[in-house]
Structure formats: structure tokens, C-alpha cells
Coordinates of all heavy atoms in Angstrom, one line a residue:
M9 N 58.1 -8.5 128.7 CA 58.8 -9.6 128.0 C 57.8 -10.7 127.7 O 56.9 -10.9 128.5 CB 59.9 -10.1 128.9 CG 61.1 -9.2 129.0 SD 62.4 -10.1 129.9 CE 63.7 -8.8 129.9
P10 N 58.0 -11.4 126.6 CA 57.0 -12.5 126.3 C 57.3 -13.7 127.2 O 58.4 -13.9 127.7 CB 57.3 -12.9 124.9 CG 58.7 -12.4 124.7 CD 58.9 -11.2 125.6
F11 N 56.2 -14.5 127.5 CA 56.4 -15.7 128.3 C 57.3 -16.7 127.5 O 57.2 -16.7 126.2 CB 55.1 -16.3 128.6 CG 54.3 -15.6 129.6 CD1 53.0 -15.2 129.3 CD2 54.9 -15.2 130.8 CE1 52.2 -14.5 130.2 CE2 54.1 -14.4 131.7 CZ 52.8 -14.1 131.4
L12 N 58.0 -17.5 128.2 CA 58.8 -18.5 127.6 C 58.5 -19.9 128.2 O 57.9 -19.9 129.3 CB 60.3 -18.2 127.8 CG 60.8 -17.0 127.0 CD1 62.3 -16.7 127.5 CD2 60.9 -17.3 125.6
P13 N 58.8 -20.9 127.5 CA 58.5 -22.3 128.1 C 59.5 -22.7 129.2 O 60.3 -23.6 129.0 CB 58.6 -23.2 126.8 CG 59.6 -22.5 126.0 CD 59.4 -21.0 126.2
I14 N 59.4 -22.0 130.3 CA 60.2 -22.3 131.4 C 59.3 -22.4 132.6 O 58.1 -22.1 132.6 CB 61.3 -21.2 131.7 CG1 60.6 -19.8 132.0 CG2 62.3 -21.1 130.5 CD1 61.5 -18.8 132.5
T15 N 59.9 -22.8 133.7 CA 59.0 -22.9 134.9 C 58.8 -21.5 135.5 O 59.5 -20.6 135.2 CB 59.8 -23.7 136.0 OG1 61.0 -23.0 136.3 CG2 60.0 -25.1 135.7
Y16 N 57.7 -21.3 136.1 CA 57.3 -20.0 136.7 C 57.8 -19.8 138.1 O 57.8 -18.6 138.5 CB 55.8 -19.8 136.6 CG 55.3 -19.6 135.3 CD1 54.8 -20.7 134.5 CD2 55.3 -18.4 134.7 CE1 54.3 -20.5 133.2 CE2 54.9 -18.2 133.4 CZ 54.4 -19.3 132.7 OH 53.9 -19.1 131.4
A17 N 58.2 -20.8 138.7 CA 58.7 -20.7 140.1 C 60.0 -21.5 140.2 O 60.2 -22.4 139.5 CB 57.7 -21.2 141.1
S18 N 60.8 -21.0 141.1 CA 62.0 -21.7 141.4 C 61.8 -23.2 141.8 O 60.7 -23.5 142.4 CB 62.8 -21.0 142.5 OG 63.9 -21.8 142.9
T19 N 62.7 -24.0 141.5 CA 62.6 -25.4 142.0 C 63.0 -25.4 143.5 O 63.9 -26.0 143.9 CB 63.5 -26.4 141.2 OG1 64.8 -25.7 141.1 CG2 62.9 -26.7 139.8
S20 N 62.2 -24.6 144.2 CA 62.6 -24.2 145.6 C 62.6 -25.4 146.6 O 63.2 -25.3 147.6 CB 61.6 -23.1 146.1 OG 60.3 -23.6 146.0
T21 N 61.9 -26.5 146.2 CA 61.9 -27.6 147.2 C 63.2 -28.5 146.9 O 63.4 -29.4 147.7 CB 60.7 -28.5 147.0 OG1 60.6 -28.9 145.6 CG2 59.4 -27.7 147.4
K22 N 63.9 -28.2 145.9 CA 65.1 -29.0 145.6 C 66.3 -28.2 145.6 O 66.4 -27.1 145.0 CB 64.9 -29.7 144.2 CG 63.8 -30.6 144.1 CD 63.9 -31.4 142.8 CE 62.8 -32.5 142.7 NZ 61.5 -32.0 142.6
I23 N 67.3 -28.6 146.4 CA 68.6 -27.9 146.4 C 69.4 -28.6 145.3 O 69.7 -29.8 145.3 CB 69.3 -28.1 147.8 CG1 68.4 -27.5 148.9 CG2 70.7 -27.4 147.7 CD1 68.1 -26.0 148.8
L24 N 69.8 -27.8 144.3 CA 70.5 -28.3 143.1 C 72.0 -28.1 143.1 O 72.6 -28.5 142.2 CB 69.9 -27.7 141.8 CG 68.4 -27.8 141.7 CD1 67.9 -27.2 140.4 CD2 67.9 -29.3 141.7
S25 N 72.5 -27.4 144.2 CA 73.9 -27.0 144.1 C 74.8 -28.2 144.0 O 75.9 -28.1 143.5 CB 74.2 -26.2 145.4 OG 73.8 -26.9 146.5
S26 N 74.4 -29.4 144.5 CA 75.3 -30.6 144.4 C 75.5 -31.1 143.0 O 76.3 -31.9 142.7 CB 74.8 -31.7 145.3 OG 73.5 -32.2 144.8
W27 N 74.6 -30.6 142.0 CA 74.7 -31.0 140.6 C 75.9 -30.3 140.0 O 76.4 -30.7 138.9 CB 73.5 -30.6 139.9 CG 72.2 -31.3 140.3 CD1 72.0 -32.1 141.4 CD2 71.0 -31.4 139.5 NE1 70.7 -32.5 141.4 CE2 70.1 -32.1 140.3 CE3 70.6 -30.8 138.3 CZ2 68.8 -32.4 139.8 CZ3 69.3 -31.1 137.9 CH2 68.4 -31.8 138.6
R28 N 76.3 -29.2 140.5 CA 77.2 -28.3 139.8 C 78.7 -28.8 139.8 O 79.2 -29.2 140.8 CB 77.2 -26.9 140.4 CG 76.1 -26.0 140.1 CD 76.4 -24.5 140.4 NE 77.0 -24.3 141.7 CZ 76.3 -24.0 142.8 NH1 75.0 -23.9 142.7 NH2 76.9 -23.9 143.9
T29 N 79.3 -28.6 138.6 CA 80.8 -28.7 138.6 C 81.4 -27.3 138.4 O 82.5 -27.1 138.7 CB 81.2 -29.6 137.4 OG1 80.7 -29.1 136.2 CG2 80.8 -31.1 137.6
S30 N 80.6 -26.4 137.9 CA 81.0 -25.0 137.7 C 79.9 -24.1 138.2 O 78.7 -24.5 138.1 CB 81.3 -24.7 136.3 OG 82.3 -25.5 135.8
K31 N 80.2 -22.9 138.6 CA 79.2 -22.0 139.0 C 79.3 -20.6 138.3 O 80.5 -20.2 138.0 CB 79.2 -21.7 140.5 CG 80.4 -21.0 141.0 CD 80.3 -20.8 142.5 CE 81.5 -20.0 143.0 NZ 81.4 -19.8 144.5
P32 N 78.2 -20.0 138.0 CA 78.3 -18.7 137.3 C 78.7 -17.6 138.3 O 78.1 -17.5 139.4 CB 76.9 -18.5 136.8 CG 76.0 -19.3 137.7 CD 76.8 -20.4 138.2
V33 N 79.6 -16.8 137.8 CA 80.0 -15.6 138.6 C 79.8 -14.3 137.7 O 80.2 -14.3 136.6 CB 81.5 -15.7 139.1 CG1 81.9 -14.5 139.8 CG2 81.6 -17.0 139.9
I34 N 79.1 -13.4 138.3 CA 78.8 -12.2 137.5 C 79.8 -11.1 137.8 O 80.2 -10.8 138.9 CB 77.4 -11.6 137.9 CG1 76.3 -12.7 137.6 CG2 77.1 -10.3 137.2 CD1 74.9 -12.3 138.1
D35 N 80.3 -10.5 136.7 CA 81.2 -9.3 136.8 C 80.3 -8.1 136.7 O 79.9 -7.7 135.6 CB 82.2 -9.3 135.7 CG 83.2 -8.2 135.7 OD1 82.9 -7.2 136.5 OD2 84.2 -8.2 135.0
Y36 N 80.0 -7.5 137.8 CA 79.1 -6.3 137.8 C 79.6 -5.1 137.2 O 78.8 -4.2 136.8 CB 78.6 -6.1 139.3 CG 77.7 -7.1 139.8 CD1 78.2 -8.1 140.6 CD2 76.4 -7.2 139.4 CE1 77.4 -9.2 141.1 CE2 75.5 -8.2 139.9 CZ 76.0 -9.2 140.7 OH 75.2 -10.2 141.1
T37 N 80.9 -5.1 136.9 CA 81.4 -3.9 136.2 C 81.1 -4.0 134.7 O 81.1 -3.0 134.0 CB 83.0 -3.8 136.3 OG1 83.6 -4.9 135.7 CG2 83.3 -3.6 137.8
K38 N 80.8 -5.2 134.2 CA 80.4 -5.4 132.8 C 78.9 -5.5 132.6 O 78.4 -5.4 131.5 CB 81.0 -6.7 132.2 CG 82.5 -6.7 132.1 CD 83.0 -8.0 131.5 CE 84.5 -8.1 131.4 NZ 84.9 -9.5 131.0
C39 N 78.2 -5.8 133.7 CA 76.8 -6.1 133.6 C 76.0 -4.8 133.4 O 76.1 -3.8 134.1 CB 76.3 -6.7 134.9 SG 74.5 -6.9 135.0
T40 N 75.1 -4.9 132.3 CA 74.3 -3.7 132.0 C 72.9 -3.8 132.6 O 72.0 -3.0 132.3 CB 74.2 -3.6 130.5 OG1 73.5 -4.7 130.0 CG2 75.5 -3.4 129.8
R41 N 72.6 -4.8 133.4 CA 71.3 -5.0 134.0 C 70.2 -5.3 132.9 O 69.1 -4.9 133.1 CB 70.9 -3.8 134.8 CG 71.5 -3.7 136.2 CD 73.0 -3.7 136.3 NE 73.4 -3.2 137.6 CZ 74.6 -3.4 138.1 NH1 75.6 -3.9 137.3 NH2 74.9 -3.0 139.3
C42 N 70.6 -5.9 131.8 CA 69.6 -6.2 130.8 C 68.6 -7.3 131.1 O 67.6 -7.4 130.5 CB 70.3 -6.5 129.5 SG 71.2 -8.2 129.5
A43 N 68.9 -8.1 132.1 CA 68.0 -9.1 132.6 C 67.9 -10.3 131.7 O 67.0 -11.2 131.9 CB 66.7 -8.6 133.0
I44 N 68.7 -10.4 130.7 CA 68.6 -11.6 129.8 C 68.9 -12.9 130.5 O 68.3 -13.9 130.3 CB 69.4 -11.3 128.5 CG1 68.7 -10.3 127.7 CG2 69.7 -12.6 127.7 CD1 69.5 -9.8 126.4
C45 N 69.9 -12.8 131.4 CA 70.2 -14.0 132.1 C 69.0 -14.5 133.0 O 68.7 -15.7 133.1 CB 71.5 -13.8 133.0 SG 71.3 -12.4 134.1
W46 N 68.4 -13.5 133.6 CA 67.2 -13.8 134.4 C 66.1 -14.5 133.6 O 65.5 -15.4 134.0 CB 66.7 -12.5 135.0 CG 65.4 -12.5 135.6 CD1 65.0 -12.9 136.9 CD2 64.1 -12.1 135.0 NE1 63.7 -12.8 137.1 CE2 63.1 -12.2 135.9 CE3 63.8 -11.5 133.8 CZ2 61.8 -11.9 135.7 CZ3 62.5 -11.2 133.5 CH2 61.5 -11.4 134.4
K47 N 65.9 -14.0 132.4 CA 64.9 -14.5 131.5 C 65.2 -16.0 131.0 O 64.3 -16.8 130.9 CB 64.8 -13.6 130.2 CG 63.8 -14.0 129.3 CD 63.7 -13.0 128.1 CE 62.7 -13.3 127.1 NZ 62.8 -12.4 126.0
F48 N 66.5 -16.3 130.8 CA 66.8 -17.6 130.2 C 67.1 -18.7 131.3 O 67.2 -19.8 130.9 CB 68.0 -17.4 129.3 CG 67.6 -17.0 127.9 CD1 67.6 -15.6 127.6 CD2 67.3 -17.9 126.9 CE1 67.2 -15.2 126.3 CE2 66.9 -17.5 125.7 CZ 66.9 -16.2 125.3
C49 N 67.4 -18.3 132.5 CA 67.7 -19.4 133.5 C 66.6 -20.3 133.6 O 65.4 -20.0 134.0 CB 68.0 -18.7 134.9 SG 68.3 -20.0 136.1
P50 N 66.8 -21.6 133.3 CA 65.7 -22.6 133.4 C 65.2 -22.9 134.8 O 64.2 -23.6 134.9 CB 66.2 -23.8 132.6 CG 67.7 -23.7 132.8 CD 68.0 -22.2 132.9
D51 N 66.0 -22.6 135.8 CA 65.6 -22.9 137.1 C 65.2 -21.7 138.0 O 65.1 -21.8 139.2 CB 66.7 -23.7 137.8 CG 66.7 -25.1 137.3 OD1 65.8 -25.8 137.6 OD2 67.7 -25.5 136.6
V52 N 65.0 -20.6 137.3 CA 64.6 -19.4 138.0 C 65.6 -19.2 139.2 O 65.2 -18.8 140.3 CB 63.2 -19.4 138.5 CG1 62.7 -18.0 138.8 CG2 62.3 -20.0 137.4
A53 N 66.9 -19.4 139.0 CA 67.9 -19.3 140.0 C 68.5 -17.9 140.0 O 69.5 -17.7 140.7 CB 68.9 -20.4 139.9
I54 N 68.0 -17.0 139.2 CA 68.6 -15.6 139.1 C 67.5 -14.7 139.6 O 66.4 -14.7 139.0 CB 69.1 -15.3 137.7 CG1 70.2 -16.2 137.3 CG2 69.6 -13.8 137.7 CD1 70.8 -16.0 136.0
D55 N 67.7 -13.9 140.6 CA 66.8 -12.9 141.1 C 67.3 -11.6 140.6 O 68.5 -11.4 140.3 CB 66.8 -12.9 142.6 CG 66.3 -14.2 143.2 OD1 65.3 -14.7 142.6 OD2 66.8 -14.6 144.2
L56 N 66.4 -10.6 140.5 CA 66.8 -9.2 140.2 C 66.6 -8.4 141.5 O 65.5 -8.4 142.1 CB 65.9 -8.7 139.1 CG 66.0 -9.3 137.7 CD1 65.0 -8.8 136.7 CD2 67.4 -9.2 137.2
V57 N 67.7 -7.8 141.9 CA 67.7 -7.2 143.2 C 68.2 -5.7 143.1 O 69.0 -5.4 142.2 CB 68.6 -7.9 144.2 CG1 68.1 -9.4 144.4 CG2 70.0 -8.0 143.8
V58 N 67.7 -4.9 144.0 CA 68.3 -3.6 144.2 C 69.3 -3.7 145.3 O 69.0 -4.0 146.4 CB 67.2 -2.5 144.5 CG1 67.8 -1.2 144.7 CG2 66.2 -2.5 143.4
D59 N 70.6 -3.5 144.9 CA 71.6 -3.6 145.9 C 72.7 -2.6 145.6 O 73.4 -2.8 144.5 CB 72.2 -5.0 145.9 CG 73.2 -5.2 147.0 OD1 73.8 -4.3 147.5 OD2 73.5 -6.4 147.3
S60 N 72.9 -1.6 146.3 CA 73.8 -0.5 146.0 C 75.3 -1.0 146.1 O 76.2 -0.3 145.6 CB 73.6 0.7 146.9 OG 73.8 0.3 148.3
S61 N 75.5 -2.1 146.7 CA 76.9 -2.6 146.7 C 77.3 -3.2 145.4 O 78.5 -3.5 145.2 CB 77.0 -3.6 147.9 OG 76.4 -4.8 147.6
L62 N 76.4 -3.5 144.5 CA 76.7 -4.1 143.2 C 77.0 -3.0 142.3 O 76.1 -2.6 141.5 CB 75.6 -5.0 142.8 CG 75.2 -6.2 143.7 CD1 74.0 -7.0 143.2 CD2 76.4 -7.1 144.0
K63 N 78.2 -2.5 142.3 CA 78.5 -1.2 141.6 C 78.7 -1.5 140.1 O 79.1 -2.5 139.7 CB 79.8 -0.7 142.1 CG 79.7 -0.3 143.6 CD 79.5 1.2 143.7 CE 79.5 1.7 145.1 NZ 78.3 2.1 145.6
S64 N 78.3 -0.5 139.3 CA 78.6 -0.5 137.9 C 79.3 0.8 137.6 O 79.1 1.8 138.2 CB 77.3 -0.5 137.1 OG 77.5 -0.2 135.7
P65 N 80.3 0.7 136.7 CA 81.0 2.0 136.3 C 80.1 3.0 135.7 O 80.4 4.2 135.6 CB 82.1 1.5 135.4 CG 81.8 0.2 135.0 CD 80.8 -0.4 136.0
N66 N 79.0 2.5 135.1 CA 78.1 3.4 134.4 C 76.9 3.7 135.4 O 76.1 2.9 135.8 CB 77.5 2.7 133.2 CG 76.7 3.6 132.3 OD1 76.0 4.5 132.8 ND2 76.7 3.4 131.0
E67 N 76.8 5.0 135.7 CA 75.8 5.5 136.7 C 74.4 5.1 136.4 O 73.6 4.7 137.2 CB 75.9 7.0 136.8 CG 76.9 7.6 137.7 CD 76.6 7.2 139.2 OE1 75.4 7.5 139.6 OE2 77.5 6.7 139.9
K68 N 74.1 5.1 135.1 CA 72.7 4.8 134.7 C 72.3 3.3 135.0 O 71.2 3.0 135.1 CB 72.4 5.2 133.3 CG 72.9 4.3 132.2 CD 72.5 4.8 130.8 CE 73.0 3.8 129.8 NZ 73.0 4.3 128.4
F69 N 73.3 2.4 135.0 CA 73.0 1.0 135.3 C 72.9 0.8 136.9 O 72.3 -0.1 137.3 CB 74.1 0.1 134.8 CG 74.2 0.2 133.3 CD1 75.5 0.0 132.7 CD2 73.1 0.4 132.5 CE1 75.6 0.1 131.3 CE2 73.2 0.4 131.1 CZ 74.5 0.2 130.5
S70 N 73.6 1.6 137.6 CA 73.7 1.4 139.1 C 72.3 1.4 139.7 O 72.1 0.8 140.8 CB 74.6 2.4 139.7 OG 76.0 2.1 139.3
S71 N 71.4 2.2 139.2 CA 70.1 2.4 139.8 C 69.1 1.3 139.4 O 68.0 1.2 139.9 CB 69.5 3.7 139.5 OG 69.4 3.8 138.1
L72 N 69.5 0.4 138.4 CA 68.6 -0.6 138.0 C 68.8 -1.9 138.8 O 69.8 -2.1 139.5 CB 68.9 -1.0 136.5 CG 68.8 0.2 135.5 CD1 69.2 -0.2 134.1 CD2 67.4 0.7 135.5
E73 N 67.8 -2.8 138.8 CA 67.9 -4.0 139.5 C 69.0 -4.9 138.8 O 69.1 -5.0 137.6 CB 66.5 -4.8 139.3 CG 65.4 -4.2 140.1 CD 64.1 -4.9 139.9 OE1 63.8 -5.4 138.8 OE2 63.4 -5.1 140.9
A74 N 69.8 -5.5 139.7 CA 70.9 -6.3 139.2 C 70.6 -7.8 139.4 O 69.9 -8.1 140.3 CB 72.2 -5.9 140.0
P75 N 71.2 -8.6 138.5 CA 71.0 -10.0 138.7 C 71.8 -10.6 139.9 O 72.9 -10.1 140.2 CB 71.5 -10.6 137.4 CG 72.5 -9.6 136.9 CD 72.0 -8.3 137.4
S76 N 71.2 -11.5 140.6 CA 71.8 -12.1 141.8 C 71.5 -13.6 141.7 O 70.4 -14.0 141.5 CB 71.3 -11.5 143.1 OG 71.8 -12.2 144.2
I77 N 72.6 -14.4 141.8 CA 72.4 -15.8 141.6 C 72.1 -16.5 142.9 O 72.8 -16.3 143.9 CB 73.6 -16.4 140.9 CG1 73.7 -15.8 139.5 CG2 73.6 -18.0 140.8 CD1 74.9 -16.1 138.7
D78 N 71.1 -17.3 142.9 CA 70.7 -18.1 144.1 C 71.4 -19.5 143.9 O 71.0 -20.4 143.2 CB 69.2 -18.3 144.1 CG 68.7 -19.3 145.1 OD1 69.6 -19.9 145.8 OD2 67.5 -19.4 145.3
Y79 N 72.6 -19.6 144.6 CA 73.4 -20.8 144.4 C 72.8 -22.1 144.9 O 73.2 -23.2 144.6 CB 74.8 -20.5 144.9 CG 75.6 -19.6 144.1 CD1 76.0 -18.3 144.6 CD2 76.0 -19.9 142.8 CE1 76.7 -17.4 143.8 CE2 76.8 -19.0 142.0 CZ 77.1 -17.8 142.5 OH 77.8 -16.9 141.8
D80 N 71.8 -22.0 145.8 CA 71.1 -23.2 146.2 C 70.4 -23.8 145.1 O 70.2 -25.1 145.0 CB 70.1 -22.9 147.3 CG 70.8 -22.7 148.7 OD1 72.0 -23.1 148.8 OD2 70.2 -22.2 149.6
H81 N 69.9 -23.0 144.2 CA 69.0 -23.5 143.1 C 69.7 -23.5 141.7 O 69.0 -24.0 140.8 CB 67.7 -22.8 143.1 CG 67.0 -23.0 144.4 ND1 66.8 -22.0 145.3 CD2 66.4 -24.1 144.9 CE1 66.2 -22.5 146.4 NE2 65.9 -23.7 146.2
C82 N 70.9 -23.0 141.6 CA 71.6 -23.0 140.4 C 72.2 -24.4 140.2 O 72.9 -24.9 141.1 CB 72.7 -22.0 140.4 SG 73.9 -22.2 139.1
K83 N 72.0 -25.0 139.0 CA 72.5 -26.4 138.8 C 73.8 -26.3 137.9 O 74.3 -27.3 137.6 CB 71.5 -27.2 138.1 CG 71.0 -26.8 136.7 CD 69.9 -27.6 136.2 CE 69.3 -27.0 134.9 NZ 68.0 -27.6 134.5
G84 N 74.2 -25.1 137.5 CA 75.5 -25.0 136.8 C 75.4 -25.3 135.3 O 76.4 -25.7 134.8
C85 N 74.3 -25.1 134.7 CA 74.1 -25.5 133.3 C 74.9 -24.5 132.4 O 75.2 -24.9 131.2 CB 72.6 -25.5 132.9 SG 71.9 -23.8 132.9
G86 N 75.1 -23.3 132.8 CA 75.9 -22.4 131.9 C 75.1 -21.6 130.9 O 75.7 -20.9 130.1
I87 N 73.8 -21.8 130.9 CA 73.0 -21.1 129.9 C 73.1 -19.6 130.1 O 73.2 -18.8 129.1 CB 71.5 -21.5 130.0 CG1 71.3 -22.9 129.5 CG2 70.6 -20.6 129.3 CD1 70.0 -23.6 129.7
C88 N 73.2 -19.1 131.3 CA 73.3 -17.7 131.6 C 74.6 -17.1 131.0 O 74.6 -16.0 130.4 CB 73.2 -17.4 133.1 SG 74.3 -18.3 134.1
E89 N 75.7 -17.9 131.1 CA 76.9 -17.4 130.5 C 76.8 -17.3 129.0 O 77.3 -16.4 128.4 CB 78.1 -18.4 130.9 CG 79.4 -18.0 130.3 CD 80.5 -19.1 130.4 OE1 80.2 -20.2 130.0 OE2 81.6 -18.8 130.9
T90 N 76.2 -18.3 128.4 CA 76.0 -18.3 126.9 C 75.2 -17.2 126.5 O 75.4 -16.6 125.4 CB 75.4 -19.7 126.5 OG1 76.3 -20.7 126.9 CG2 75.2 -19.7 125.0
E91 N 74.1 -16.9 127.2 CA 73.1 -15.9 126.8 C 73.5 -14.5 127.1 O 73.0 -13.5 126.5 CB 71.8 -16.2 127.3 CG 71.2 -17.5 126.9 CD 70.9 -17.6 125.3 OE1 70.8 -16.5 124.7 OE2 70.9 -18.7 124.8
C92 N 74.4 -14.3 128.1 CA 74.7 -12.9 128.4 C 75.4 -12.2 127.2 O 76.5 -12.6 126.8 CB 75.6 -12.8 129.6 SG 76.2 -11.2 130.0
P93 N 74.8 -11.1 126.7 CA 75.4 -10.5 125.5 C 76.6 -9.6 125.8 O 77.2 -9.1 124.9 CB 74.2 -9.7 125.0 CG 73.3 -9.4 126.1 CD 73.5 -10.5 127.1
F94 N 76.9 -9.5 127.1 CA 78.0 -8.5 127.4 C 79.2 -9.3 128.1 O 80.1 -8.6 128.6 CB 77.5 -7.4 128.3 CG 76.4 -6.6 127.7 CD1 75.1 -6.9 127.9 CD2 76.7 -5.6 126.8 CE1 74.0 -6.2 127.3 CE2 75.7 -4.9 126.1 CZ 74.4 -5.2 126.4
G95 N 79.2 -10.6 128.0 CA 80.3 -11.3 128.6 C 80.5 -11.1 130.1 O 81.6 -11.1 130.6
A96 N 79.4 -10.8 130.8 CA 79.5 -10.5 132.2 C 79.4 -11.7 133.1 O 79.5 -11.5 134.3 CB 78.5 -9.4 132.5
I97 N 79.2 -12.9 132.6 CA 79.1 -14.1 133.4 C 80.1 -15.1 133.0 O 80.3 -15.3 131.8 CB 77.7 -14.7 133.3 CG1 76.6 -13.7 133.7 CG2 77.6 -16.0 134.1 CD1 75.2 -14.3 133.7
E98 N 80.8 -15.5 134.0 CA 81.9 -16.6 133.7 C 81.6 -17.8 134.6 O 81.3 -17.6 135.8 CB 83.2 -16.0 134.0 CG 84.4 -17.0 133.7 CD 85.7 -16.5 134.2 OE1 85.8 -15.4 134.7 OE2 86.7 -17.2 133.9
M99 N 81.6 -19.0 133.9 CA 81.5 -20.2 134.7 C 82.8 -20.5 135.3 O 83.8 -20.6 134.6 CB 81.0 -21.4 133.8 CG 79.6 -21.2 133.2 SD 78.3 -20.9 134.4 CE 78.2 -22.6 135.1
V100 N 82.8 -20.7 136.7 CA 84.1 -20.9 137.4 C 84.0 -22.3 138.0 O 83.0 -22.6 138.6 CB 84.3 -19.8 138.5 CG1 85.5 -20.1 139.3 CG2 84.3 -18.5 137.8
R101 N 85.0 -23.1 137.8 CA 85.0 -24.4 138.4 C 84.8 -24.4 139.9 O 85.4 -23.6 140.6 CB 86.4 -25.1 138.0 CG 86.4 -26.5 138.3 CD 86.8 -27.3 137.0 NE 86.6 -28.7 137.2 CZ 85.7 -29.5 136.6 NH1 84.9 -29.0 135.7 NH2 85.6 -30.8 136.9
E102 N 84.0 -25.3 140.3 CA 83.7 -25.5 141.8 C 85.0 -26.1 142.4 O 85.6 -26.9 141.8 CB 82.5 -26.4 142.1 CG 81.2 -25.8 141.7 CD 80.6 -24.9 142.7 OE1 81.3 -24.6 143.8 OE2 79.5 -24.5 142.6
E103 N 85.2 -25.7 143.7 CA 86.3 -26.3 144.4 C 85.9 -27.7 144.7 O 84.8 -28.0 145.0 CB 86.6 -25.5 145.7 CG 86.8 -24.0 145.6 CD 88.3 -23.7 145.3 OE1 89.1 -24.4 145.9 OE2 88.5 -22.8 144.6
E104 N 86.9 -28.6 144.7 CA 86.6 -30.0 145.0 C 86.4 -30.2 146.5 O 86.9 -29.5 147.3 CB 87.8 -30.9 144.6 CG 88.1 -30.9 143.1 CD 87.2 -31.9 142.3 OE1 86.9 -33.0 142.8 OE2 86.7 -31.5 141.2
Ligands
SF4_500 S1 72.7 -11.0 130.9 FE1 74.7 -10.3 131.5 S2 74.6 -8.0 131.2 FE2 72.5 -8.8 131.2 S3 71.8 -8.7 133.4 FE3 72.6 -10.7 133.1 S4 74.8 -10.6 133.7 FE4 74.0 -8.5 133.4
SF4_501 S1 74.1 -21.8 135.4 FE1 72.1 -22.4 134.7 S2 70.9 -22.7 136.6 FE2 72.7 -21.6 137.2 S3 72.0 -19.4 137.1 FE3 73.0 -19.9 135.1 S4 71.2 -20.5 133.8 FE4 70.5 -20.6 135.9

């Protein structure tokens, strides 16, 4: 993938979770593991992980790295929801 004008490392020294009013939630049954959310997250708050518990109905997707959101560093901007081409991310209002 080409480089993009984003940070190369997570804003790991800053906990951004208090900024959020909504948080992204991934529906792994819709996720094709395309990694577009990972590419577009401006805070590198999405990791790609191998986790057999993150099931996909499609066998060929189950063996691929799946996106996992680091909620400590996610600021809730919603870019991942906008960019996911498969509608697999939904921003859900944080509990008060
Ligand atoms: S962009 Fe959507 S379909 Fe692609 S890996 Fe992320 S959640 Fe899954
Ligand atoms: S809501 Fe924004 S900061 Fe959080 S994972 Fe999605 S793109 Fe990254």
C-alpha cells in the first residue's frame, strides 16, 4: 500500500478515549479484512490481529488478519466508519 500523510506510530503517550462521544464497533460477520479502516485511521488506533475468535461467515476471510480497535487511542472521529466499503463499522454512542 502507498504511504499516506498520517502518523507512523500510535499517539501512544496520549490516551484519547475521553475525547469520544461515539466509538466504532466492528461487525466481524460483515468484515472482509480489507484493512482499509487500518489504513485510514489517523491515530493508528486500529491493529491487524490474528484471532480465531473473530469469526467470519466466509472461510477465506477467517484466516486473514482482522482489524481490532485500540479504544485507549481511538478518539471517535468516525473516519473508519465512513471509509469501510462493506458497512462493517458502526459508530455507537458512548454511555454517559
Ligand atoms: S474497512 Fe471494514 S471490511 Fe475492511 S477491514 Fe475494516 S472493518 Fe473490515
Ligand atoms: S473512530 Fe477514528 S480514531 Fe477511532 S478507530 Fe476509527 S478512524 Fe481511528
Side-chain angles (χ1 to χ4, degrees):
M9 287 186 182
F11 289 128
L12 290 172
I14 60 170
T15 56
Y16 287 96
S18 171
T19 46
S20 56
T21 57
K22 295 188 174 67
I23 301 298
L24 304 179
S25 53
S26 65
W27 294 14
R28 280 198 314 266
T29 54
S30 301
K31 67 178 183 182
V33 175
I34 299 172
D35 180 345
Y36 288 99
T37 65
K38 293 183 184 172
C39 174
T40 63
R41 279 59 166 163
C42 68
I44 287 176
C45 55
W46 168 81
K47 183 177 177 183
F48 277 91
C49 175
D51 283 295
V52 197
I54 301 178
D55 297 320
L56 295 176
V57 299
V58 176
D59 184 340
S60 58
S61 70
L62 304 177
K63 297 261 185 249
S64 168
N66 188 327
E67 274 294 310
K68 80 177 177 193
F69 298 146
S70 293
S71 60
L72 301 175
E73 290 179 319
S76 173
I77 294 170
D78 173 354
Y79 288 113
D80 281 346
H81 298 108
C82 166
K83 64 187 175 194
C85 66
I87 289 173
C88 52
E89 179 192 49
T90 300
E91 296 298 335
C92 174
F94 299 99
I97 301 180
E98 181 184 2
M99 296 301 289
V100 175
R101 189 122 189 117
E102 291 276 6
E103 305 274 327
E104 296 279 320

